[in-house]
């Protein structure tokens, strides 16, 4: 498969609920792309995350990711949105490995809060055969507490400038009627207001 920049040899895969996508996500994606000289950074919104509750529906979270991840080297995948049942990272990476072939270097990108739970991820031994994990710093979470086991995927730690923004904080601000300009890309802000997400009105929470 060709990107605008040529063949994809290094693919970053950024999983998350993106409920909503915010400037912290964009900053991480840009930094990791530069550091690892990625040909493409693919945002993969989770369909039915098994470890986390979501508030906006999968289609809303997918569309907000498309609207916000507008850099030419970014893309957004429906692979987990369209999958039935719980979405495991190892399954996603397996599909991407089949699609892109054995030559591509797959890097799964996650923040320190997510990586600190790596030991509880499903099919970790399969994931280890498919991809490396790029663990980026996040304030309040200490990556030095991670003690990787030999059967885990290789973990590449990367320090990124602190962007103290979370989706939880943004949802709370919307619910309280506070502005979110500058915390999410402008198109995401418009989408949230137009579709009355997180405003505490009609519940759009998914099971
Ligand atoms: P929530 O507040 O709902 O838990 P979140 O802000 O952590 O959401 P997610 O969509 O769960 O956003 O995050 C996707 C990935 O991005 C995770 O691996 C998370 O650790 C990472 N991430 C999110 N925000 C930041 C940030 N500000 N700095 C570094 N990593 C981040």
């Amino acid at each position: 498969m060709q990107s605008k920049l040529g063949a994809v040899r290094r693919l970053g895969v950024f999983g998350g609920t993106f409920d909503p996508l915010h400037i912290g996500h964009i900053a991480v994606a840009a930094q990791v792309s530069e550091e690892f000289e990625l040909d493409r950074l693919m945002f993969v919104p989770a369909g039915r995350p098994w470890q986390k509750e979501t508030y906006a529906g999968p289609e809303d979270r997918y569309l907000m990711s498309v609207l916000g991840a507008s850099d030419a080297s970014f893309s957004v995948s429906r692979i987990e949105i369209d999958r039935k049942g719980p979405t495991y990272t190892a399954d996603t990476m397996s599909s991407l490995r089949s699609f892109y072939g054995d030559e591509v270097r797959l890097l799964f990108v996650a923040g320190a809060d997510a990586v600190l739970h790596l030991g509880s991820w499903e099919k970790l031994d399969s994931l280890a055969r498919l991809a490396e994990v790029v663990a980026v710093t996040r304030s309040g979470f200490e990556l030095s507490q991670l003690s990787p086991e030999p059967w885990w995927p290789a973990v590449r730690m990367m320090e990124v400038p602190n962007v103290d923004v979370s989706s939880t904080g943004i949802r709370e601000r919307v619910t309280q009627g506070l502005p979110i300009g500058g915390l999410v890309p402008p198109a995401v802000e418009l989408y949230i207001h137009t579709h009355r997400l997180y405003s505490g009105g009609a519940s759009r929470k998914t099971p």
Side-chain angles (χ1 to χ4, degrees):
M1 172 123 187
Q2 301 279 310
S3 75
K4 280 187 184 157
L5 310 172
V8 174
R9 303 203 183 284
R10 284 176 298 267
L11 176 67
V13 179
F14 196 9
T17 44
F18 304 118
D19 192 14
L21 180 105
H22 55 65
I23 57 159
H25 297 129
I26 300 293
V28 166
Q31 300 275 331
V32 174
S33 293
E34 192 180 331
E35 177 72 18
F36 288 87
E37 299 181 352
L38 300 180
D39 299 306
R40 181 177 301 169
L41 189 290
M42 181 185 281
F43 290 79
V44 183
R48 288 148 205 84
W50 60 287
Q51 284 187 317
K52 237 176 136 170
E53 200 164 34
T54 53
Y55 296 84
E59 292 299 337
D60 285 330
R61 293 184 290 102
Y62 169 74
L63 288 172
M64 288 190 283
S65 303
V66 172
L67 288 168
S70 51
D71 189 279
S73 65
F74 295 163
S75 66
V76 183
S77 170
R78 293 188 59 88
I79 187 169
E80 293 197 357
I81 296 286
D82 290 339
R83 188 183 300 143
K84 291 191 169 59
T87 44
Y88 300 130
T89 300
D91 296 335
T92 300
M93 298 314 263
S94 174
S95 300
L96 291 173
R97 171 66 67 208
S98 303
F99 186 80
Y100 284 96
D102 289 337
E103 298 304 310
V104 71
R105 184 175 173 197
L106 292 179
L107 295 150
F108 185 78
V109 182
D113 55 313
V115 175
L116 287 176
H117 293 113
L118 190 60
S120 71
W121 291 14
E122 293 285 322
K123 309 182 189 182
L124 209 50
D125 48 343
S126 314
L127 183 61
R129 290 190 291 276
L130 293 160
E132 301 153 68
V133 172
V134 177
V136 300
T137 50
R138 189 172 188 183
S139 93
F141 302 93
E142 201 38 73
L143 273 175
S144 59
Q145 287 175 0
L146 190 73
S147 13
E149 300 287 353
W151 61 88
W152 287 14
V155 179
R156 320 268 171 225
M157 307 224 185
M158 184 185 159
E159 180 141 359
V160 293
N162 179 32
V163 180
D164 198 8
V165 175
S166 71
S167 297
T168 303
I170 291 161
R171 292 192 303 270
E172 286 171 0
R173 288 183 71 84
V174 176
T175 304
Q176 292 164 19
L178 296 171
I180 55 168
L183 302 176
V184 294
V188 173
E189 181 184 4
L190 186 61
Y191 188 95
I192 289 170
H193 292 316
T194 305
H195 295 268
R196 299 182 205 282
L197 301 183
Y198 316 127
S199 56
S203 175
R204 299 177 69 112
K205 199 168 168 177
T206 50

